[in-house]
Amino acid sequence: MKRVAILISGSGSNMVSLAQSMTGDHPARPVLVLSNVPEAGGLARAQALGIDTTVVDHRPYKGDRAAFEAALIQRLDAAQPDILCLAGFMRILTPGFINHYAGRMLNIHPSLLPKYKGLDTHARALAAGDGEAGCSVHEVTAELDGGPILGQARVPALPDDTAETLAARVLPFEHRLYPAVLDRFARGDRTPVTLP
Ligand code: GAR
């Protein structure tokens, strides 16, 4: 069994979909949910699923990323993860952290990468007049939102969409895409998943 740690900052809906997928003959199990936000709604959802949770609040580190990441690594490595899934984890990670987990870390990003790395992805897609939007799961490398793409889901962007309505159309596809990629990745299969 592969051991999976999931990193969150918010409501954790992707974390829930990942955790709920890891049952039966799935090759992995969730062993830890870590949040950098003590108030993150996903913490209670993880606890309700019987998953260990831990918090490393970034604020006391006052911008000392090396010290923050050392604390992250200490908590994560105590759980001996084989795979790390970033699921709405909203801190930029340095190469030192990323290299520590090289080849073991995935992220979900709400755009059709390589378009719209960073924040405000849906608003930027609409501002550009794109006729489609979506989400991507990629391996995390030192380049922000730039690692190899392991899966994508496309949805239409409609003329009267707002960032909110588009996000609401994309999110259910995130919840299908990320578990599908994790299942393959945990079996050593990096063939990209395409949805729908
Ligand atoms: C998701 O839409 C995810 O794609 C996005 O944050 C949301 C988290 O929702 N991630 C990023 O923007 C990463 N830069 P969730 O907490 O309900 O899973």
Side-chain angles (χ1 to χ4, degrees):
M1 269 309 165
K2 294 284 196 316
R3 299 169 62 82
V4 178
I6 306 172
L7 282 70
I8 66 170
S9 300
S11 66
S13 70
N14 277 288
M15 176 277 297
V16 169
S17 69
L18 288 171
Q20 289 180 335
S21 74
M22 287 184 258
T23 59
D25 64 1
H26 195 288
R29 291 292 183 271
V31 296
L32 183 68
V33 169
L34 181 150
S35 175
N36 67 303
V37 177
E39 305 80 18
L43 288 166
R45 299 174 85 175
Q47 288 157 10
L49 291 166
I51 307 168
D52 285 347
T53 62
T54 190
V55 173
V56 181
D57 188 344
H58 62 279
R59 290 170 297 187
Y61 293 94
K62 299 189 188 304
D64 184 348
R65 288 188 189 272
F68 170 61
E69 291 182 351
L72 288 182
I73 287 172
Q74 189 178 51
R75 299 291 177 86
L76 290 167
D77 284 356
Q80 299 184 285
D82 300 299
I83 299 172
L84 287 81
C85 291
L86 306 182
F89 185 71
M90 302 306 281
R91 303 301 296 172
I92 288 177
L93 297 164
T94 72
F97 182 90
I98 292 166
N99 290 337
H100 186 80
Y101 298 108
R104 295 195 268 160
M105 188 156 42
L106 306 178
N107 180 42
I108 188 156
H109 184 73
S111 78
L112 294 173
L113 291 172
K115 282 188 160 185
Y116 313 125
K117 298 173 180 178
L119 299 176
D120 300 322
T121 54
H122 298 308
R124 289 157 66 200
L126 293 173
D130 291 357
E132 63 175 7
C135 52
S136 307
V137 175
H138 64 94
E139 183 182 333
V140 178
T141 64
E143 187 195 345
L144 179 68
D145 298 327
I149 294 170
L150 299 177
Q152 285 189 319
R154 316 179 96 82
V155 306
L158 304 177
D160 56 356
D161 264 331
T162 63
E164 290 71 29
T165 60
L166 185 53
R169 192 174 308 119
V170 171
L171 191 62
F173 286 89
E174 297 190 34
H175 297 160
R176 288 171 51 196
L177 181 68
Y178 210 172
V181 172
L182 175 62
D183 185 296
R184 281 192 187 178
F185 189 79
R187 297 175 201 276
D189 180 356
R190 299 166 55 94
T191 315
V193 175
T194 302
L195 292 181

